[in-house]
Amino acid sequence: MTMPDSGEGSMAALSLTSSTVDEITVIKVDGVLDATTREQFADYLSLAGPDLILDLAGVTFMDSRALGLIVHHWQTSLASGARFALIGVEYSKSKVMWITGLAQRLPLYDTLDDALAAIG
């Protein structure tokens, strides 16, 4: 499954691309996840299948609204028995995950291979 690239040139605050690995949608997120990009991120997530890996290595900043969307998708995945993981999360760019304590609860992995091995 290929979803449309929602980046709008090099000036876009957020670029989202997707691919499929082992029947799991992998969404690569590059840029800012905040109030200005929340709708774009939410719309893109709504196109993803139930099995999802979010690659957040390219995130430059994340606020609590974006984290809320991620947590909602994670909870929906858990409830339906789907696979879900986050990869490439960096503390300095996603501090809100640690401040809220969610970094200890969310399925975080360093690499795509690590996530696939754990949830595959």
Side-chain angles (χ1 to χ4, degrees):
M1 169 175 84
T2 302
M3 292 187 285
D5 181 353
S6 64
E8 298 171 0
S10 60
M11 298 308 286
L14 182 63
S15 172
L16 301 161
T17 55
S18 69
S19 60
T20 303
V21 179
D22 294 344
E23 299 180 10
I24 300 172
T25 300
V26 179
I27 296 177
K28 183 166 177 34
V29 182
D30 289 300
V32 175
L33 287 175
D34 66 5
T36 66
T37 59
R38 183 187 188 284
E39 188 172 330
Q40 177 186 357
F41 187 48
D43 290 348
Y44 206 81
L45 284 177
S46 72
L47 299 174
D51 294 322
L52 178 65
I53 296 174
L54 289 176
D55 180 350
L56 303 177
V59 170
T60 56
F61 174 78
M62 179 189 301
D63 74 2
S64 60
R65 289 185 178 129
L67 180 58
L69 285 173
I70 292 169
V71 168
H72 174 74
H73 207 86
W74 170 58
Q75 291 172 329
T76 302
S77 294
L78 282 178
S80 68
R83 299 173 286 181
F84 182 89
L86 303 174
I87 60 174
V89 178
E90 294 182 36
Y91 172 80
S92 63
K93 299 170 185 172
S94 305
K95 289 179 187 174
V96 68
M97 272 192 206
W98 279 264
I99 291 168
T100 60
L102 287 165
Q104 288 74 39
R105 299 187 59 209
L106 289 164
L108 303 179
Y109 302 95
D110 291 333
T111 68
L112 179 58
D113 287 341
D114 292 344
L116 291 170
I119 69 170

